Amino acid sequence: MRLPKTYGLNQAYLLLLAHSALASHRAEAGSEGEGRLPVPKRELEWGDANFLAISDTHGWLLGHQHATWPEPNYSGDYGDLASFVTHMREIAASKGSDLLLVDCGDHHDGSGLVSSSPSGANRADEIFHQLEFDVATIGNHELYSYEVARVVHEQAKGLGGRYLTSNVNITVPGRDGVWESVPIGERYRKFKTPQGRKVTAFGVIFDFQAHDLNLTIQSPTLMSQEPWFLETLRDAPDYFVLAGHMPVRGQGADWTPVYDAIRAQHPDVPIFIFGGHTHVRDCAQYDDRSIAVVPGRYLETATFVSSDLPGKSDSGDPLNINRRYIDANRVSYQFHTHTNHSTFDTPLGQNITSNLVHLATALNISTPLGHAPIDLYLARYPYGHRRSALTVWTNEVLPATVVDEERRGRRIIIGNTGSLRFDLFAGRFDKNDELTISPFKSRFWYTRLPASFALTLTPEMNRAGASKLLPASFNASDGRGTTVDRERMMYEDDLSVRREYDRWLADQREAYEAEYHALEGDEGARSGQVVLGRTKGLTPGYVTRDACKGKGDDIEHIPLPHSLSQPDFSQTPLEHGEEDEIIDVVVMDFALDDFMTAVHTLHPGSELSKKDFKPYAEGTSIDTLWGAYAGMKW
Ligand SMILES: *[C@@H]1O[C@H](CO)[C@@H](O)[C@H](O)[C@H]1NC(C)=O
Ligand SMILES: *[C@@H]1O[C@H](CO)[C@@H](O)[C@H](O)[C@H]1NC(C)=O
Ligand SMILES: *[C@@H]1O[C@H](CO)[C@@H](O)[C@H](O)[C@H]1NC(C)=O
Ligand SMILES: *[C@@H]1O[C@H](CO)[C@@H](O)[C@H](O)[C@H]1NC(C)=O
Ligand SMILES: *[C@@H]1O[C@H](CO)[C@@H](O)[C@H](O)[C@H]1NC(C)=O
Ligand SMILES: *[C@@H]1O[C@H](CO)[C@@H](O)[C@H](O)[C@H]1NC(C)=O
Ligand SMILES: *[C@@H]1O[C@H](CO)[C@@H](O)[C@H](O)[C@H]1NC(C)=O
Ligand SMILES: [Zn+2]
Ligand SMILES: [Zn+2]
């Protein structure tokens, strides 16, 4: 990486050091040898209006750094994205068209950059906004904590009215000390593009209830009836841009009221809708003059949307609208901008990359904790398989790292499987990986029960399922504002998003195997390995089947194996001994409610209550267990 000229010698030296750390990290991912990555085959279809959209970055601004597929495909960092955007804007200008950049929220809670400390998250947001978005909006992960939302509100003031929160307010002290409710960003943005097109934009979020005190979210339905909203719609722009933190179809997609309100006044004006929150690649068209896409997650995808615009004498014909899910890496970026390794980087892109590397160093998240011997997957294999992260977590990590020196007798530990939320790849394992896999600060509690009874509880908990996944169980007046409750709400939201994402991946794999089955008969479909072996030249990754016409994925992939047989709760093995011996039953605090429900289902007369639990292995929380294990075994 070449250094920007503005740096002095000492800074340059520091940067070199930092860069060589990143370079060695990335060499592992093969992004040094960009040759390993598949090259796109189709040029983009440019239109009069063009967009690049991302969403749900959750702090993955350093890109994906491991060598196991499909990670290298997403190895572009945020600086690379900035270089890509700069070139794409130039290409648009040379074609006499526009390229607008859109983000749909959820910057916080995720990789080590944003999960290691609040100041890290704030700094990551500042770097995020070094790249100028035309329209950006907020996600639920910016709304669990008043303090986080307040910082976002302050930062939004410096973004030139481009950060839109049409249905989210924050209560802050006003000029004369009186508290007042104000939009976190702006409610709308009306602007002219470089090519002189008039745009009206809004930023909305689904009717999210689990937010902190002194934040207000209006449902999209109520928002779309507001006088200010209807007034803003009145004069027709060349097109509308809606950025929103919600899916574009199915459960939770709440675009209809907003879309209907616009269509009631402007039946023919194009509407470009960008969603988020579900972490998938998705697309739907509500009519032939609009498109609604979800651009994926974790800086894995940069989604390109293009459309022609109605001419002066509008014949009312359908618009030619396209979407393309571009794998976020330098090879794809260079292909689509006709640049190469030496012409691709821009000063802004390099500056952003070095700022990110500095931040990672300052946060101490790049320090290696060990070297993982094999890949462990969250969901490629069923629970019980030796390559399942959950199996290793339950059978080895918990027993080795959750130890109470005062209590060395027989015990079991029952935990939520959702406390793991990313694959753990072979090779270098650092603090960033640890926080990415498990950022939650859940702690441990124990009670005393007969072994034979204790062993019936996890199966019962799994039979009942995790109650906290049901939205109905959320109680808005209940304890909001404490750190533990906030963590818990986040955890629950995380889990329900992941369920949808998992379903999406499993569907891809099922469809693929069914297709192969039809082509090749039983033999072809017998095992994933056979299928993979027979498909020449394709690498593993996303295989999107959305509701828009044509192929959305920029690069053709084979879907990853995916197993949905993952329990909600797991339990560590119990050493042999007497069946009715009274043992320690250790429960992770997020699992405690479901544990109590299981006790009372199996034993209705039981007087056991949460009061009968005492802290176990005090000071141990689940966010540091893999690191501790790595220190012992790797
Ligand atoms: C949001 O803030 C605006 C401007 O202060 C105010 O008029 C409006 O009532 C607030 N909306 C809600 C839902 O609190
Ligand atoms: C919420 O606002 C009220 C004033 O309306 C204030 O007294 C209170 O401290 C605020 N709570 C938080 C969590 O900021
Ligand atoms: C990269 O592109 C530039 C400009 O087109 C060209 O001069 C140069 O030779 C290329 N470099 C490589 C390594 O292909
Ligand atoms: C590069 O980053 C530094 C640190 O954030 C910032 O002060 C500077 O303005 C940036 N320069 C450019 C060209 O973006
Ligand atoms: C950085 O992290 C490593 C591993 O967690 C730790 O050993 C070291 O003391 C930390 N250094 C600082 C300065 O915090
Ligand atoms: C919600 O929590 C409050 C305070 O703990 C409690 O009084 C109320 O009954 C709960 N509501 C529901 C529906 O569980
Ligand atoms: C990633 O790159 C590998 C290696 O070329 C390829 O096999 C795989 O399909 C790619 N996956 C994605 C998601 O881009
Ligand atoms: Zn998200
Ligand atoms: Zn979200």
Side-chain angles (χ1 to χ4, degrees):
M1 174 145 328
R2 284 160 307 148
L3 294 174
K5 288 197 187 67
T6 48
Y7 282 86
L9 199 65
N10 281 339
Q11 282 165 308
Y13 179 67
L14 278 176
L15 260 182
L16 266 178
L17 284 181
H19 276 143
S20 62
L22 181 69
S24 63
H25 212 151
R26 296 175 103 204
E28 195 186 331
S31 62
E32 282 298 284
E34 282 157 18
R36 286 180 66 202
L37 287 166
V39 181
K41 297 196 171 70
R42 295 184 290 154
E43 295 280 346
L44 297 173
E45 295 130 321
W46 287 80
D48 300 324
N50 305 282
F51 304 87
L52 270 176
I54 58 170
S55 187
D56 294 86
T57 46
H58 290 285
W60 284 79
L61 304 186
L62 286 164
H64 293 245
Q65 304 175 354
H66 284 284
T68 302
W69 297 116
E71 290 292 285
N73 300 290
Y74 315 130
S75 54
D77 68 25
Y78 193 68
D80 296 329
L81 180 73
S83 297
F84 181 50
V85 169
T86 304
H87 293 300
M88 290 287 280
R89 281 180 173 146
E90 283 164 7
I91 293 173
S94 74
K95 292 178 185 293
S97 63
D98 294 301
L99 181 94
L100 303 187
L101 185 61
V102 181
D103 173 62
C104 296
D106 269 8
H107 295 183
H108 290 241
D109 307 311
S111 85
L113 225 42
V114 293
S115 290
S116 59
S117 73
S119 64
N122 297 344
R123 186 71 190 102
D125 266 347
E126 282 168 26
I127 298 174
F128 191 96
H129 290 296
Q130 277 191 261
L131 176 55
E132 191 173 89
F133 280 77
D134 295 285
V135 178
T137 192
I138 202 162
N140 51 304
H141 281 268
E142 282 80 64
L143 295 166
Y144 288 103
S145 140
Y146 177 80
E147 193 43 36
V148 168
R150 201 192 53 77
V151 173
V152 169
H153 173 57
E154 288 304 317
Q155 283 179 339
K157 292 176 184 168
L159 299 177
R162 296 170 159 85
Y163 193 79
L164 306 183
T165 57
S166 309
N167 64 338
V168 190
N169 274 21
I170 183 167
T171 305
V172 289
R175 241 171 268 125
D176 36 13
V178 180
W179 289 69
E180 56 182 5
S181 174
V182 296
I184 289 187
E186 297 295 328
R187 279 176 157 173
Y188 63 90
R189 179 173 185 224
K190 288 188 180 186
F191 63 103
K192 264 203 173 140
T193 67
Q195 301 296 330
R197 310 273 188 190
K198 278 167 55 191
V199 180
T200 298
F202 298 96
V204 290
I205 188 169
F206 66 95
D207 191 8
F208 170 60
Q209 291 300 312
H211 55 81
D212 204 353
L213 293 171
N214 289 347
L215 303 176
T216 322
I217 293 176
Q218 207 180 23
S219 70
T221 302
L222 287 180
M223 185 208 85
S224 55
Q225 294 161 5
E226 286 271 353
W228 75 262
F229 178 73
L230 298 170
E231 180 59 37
T232 306
L233 290 186
R234 195 154 300 154
D235 52 323
D238 289 307
Y239 55 88
F240 288 94
V241 175
L242 308 181
H245 197 72
M246 56 181 165
V248 295
R249 56 186 178 137
Q251 201 185 355
D254 206 0
W255 288 106
T256 311
V258 188
Y259 167 86
D260 285 350
I262 295 176
R263 278 285 172 259
Q265 295 194 34
H266 305 289
D268 296 320
V269 177
I271 309 176
F272 301 101
I273 300 176
F274 300 90
H277 186 63
T278 43
H279 294 187
V280 302
R281 295 173 171 184
D282 200 14
C283 179
Q285 276 192 272
Y286 303 153
D287 61 31
D288 58 22
R289 294 214 158 188
S290 68
I291 191 167
V293 300
V294 179
R297 62 164 201 180
Y298 298 173
L299 213 61
E300 293 171 345
T301 307
T303 299
F304 178 77
V305 168
S306 65
S307 173
D308 48 4
L309 293 173
K312 286 239 160 54
S313 54
D314 186 357
S315 53
D317 288 343
L319 296 179
N320 179 21
I321 313 184
N322 296 289
R323 51 65 186 94
R324 191 82 69 83
Y325 308 108
I326 299 171
D327 288 351
N329 64 58
R330 292 170 61 94
V331 171
S332 297
Y333 293 164
Q334 286 166 23
F335 176 86
H336 290 303
T337 54
H338 309 113
T339 55
N340 60 35
H341 188 76
S342 36
T343 57
F344 176 70
D345 294 294
T346 62
L348 176 65
Q350 289 179 313
N351 189 315
I352 286 177
T353 300
S354 54
N355 288 340
L356 288 169
V357 172
H358 280 306
L359 179 59
T361 309
L363 294 172
N364 195 22
I365 56 173
S366 318
T367 317
L369 301 173
H371 199 86
I374 53 169
D375 293 320
L376 296 173
Y377 299 110
L378 211 52
R380 285 192 206 179
Y381 299 101
Y383 178 58
H385 193 284
R386 66 181 194 89
R387 303 299 290 278
S388 144
L390 196 52
T391 308
V392 175
W393 164 255
T394 306
N395 294 344
E396 295 173 38
V397 178
L398 288 175
T401 57
V402 183
V403 176
D404 191 320
E405 291 303 336
E406 312 279 296
R407 316 195 55 80
R408 302 301 301 229
R410 292 168 75 209
R411 51 113 199 232
I412 56 172
I413 305 170
I414 299 174
N416 309 61
T417 63
S419 46
L420 303 186
R421 59 167 193 186
F422 205 72
D423 296 332
L424 193 163
F425 297 111
R428 177 199 165 97
F429 178 80
D430 61 22
K431 188 77 198 159
N432 187 33
D433 297 314
E434 186 185 55
L435 284 165
T436 301
I437 290 156
S438 195
F440 304 106
K441 295 215 181 324
S442 188
R443 292 176 187 279
F444 298 90
W445 302 83
Y446 80 97
T447 191
R448 306 270 297 157
L449 292 171
S452 54
F453 180 58
L455 289 176
T456 61
L457 291 167
T458 312
E460 169 57 24
M461 289 164 76
N462 279 322
R463 193 199 57 75
S467 63
K468 291 302 177 294
L469 287 178
L470 308 173
S473 77
F474 176 72
N475 181 346
S477 63
D478 195 2
R480 199 193 273 173
T482 74
T483 313
V484 170
D485 288 330
R486 211 178 286 147
E487 275 240 330
R488 194 192 170 100
M489 288 182 224
M490 248 187 256
Y491 165 83
E492 287 154 13
D493 163 72
D494 216 63
L495 208 48
S496 64
V497 167
R498 217 171 66 211
R499 296 250 153 140
E500 282 196 40
Y501 173 82
D502 282 347
R503 185 71 250 168
W504 182 62
L505 283 189
D507 285 349
Q508 294 178 16
R509 186 66 182 191
E510 272 166 32
Y512 173 74
E513 288 184 1
E515 198 177 314
Y516 238 82
H517 196 95
L519 283 178
E520 303 269 315
D522 286 348
E523 204 166 310
R526 201 189 301 138
S527 81
Q529 286 311 316
V530 175
V531 175
L532 290 182
R534 288 189 183 190
T535 310
K536 290 177 203 76
L538 297 187
T539 53
Y542 293 132
V543 183
T544 308
R545 288 176 308 141
D546 57 20
C548 291
K549 66 180 183 337
K551 262 191 193 162
D553 291 320
D554 192 38
I555 290 190
E556 202 180 335
H557 290 297
I558 302 170
L560 295 164
H562 197 91
S563 168
L564 287 175
S565 40
Q566 313 291 344
D568 287 337
F569 302 95
S570 71
Q571 178 210 296
T572 60
L574 177 64
E575 280 168 39
H576 288 291
E578 290 295 314
E579 246 190 35
D580 40 11
E581 185 191 343
I582 307 290
I583 60 165
D584 283 353
V585 178
V586 183
V587 184
M588 220 176 264
D589 56 16
F590 292 174
L592 213 48
D593 288 345
D594 294 279
F595 179 88
M596 294 309 303
T597 305
V599 167
H600 290 115
T601 306
L602 294 177
H603 203 313
S606 168
E607 289 183 359
L608 190 77
S609 79
K610 283 194 194 171
K611 290 196 199 74
D612 301 311
F613 281 83
K614 294 198 188 73
Y616 187 87
E618 270 194 283
T620 304
S621 77
I622 66 170
D623 58 339
T624 54
L625 300 186
W626 281 104
Y629 183 76
M632 284 181 224
K633 308 277 174 158
W634 297 342

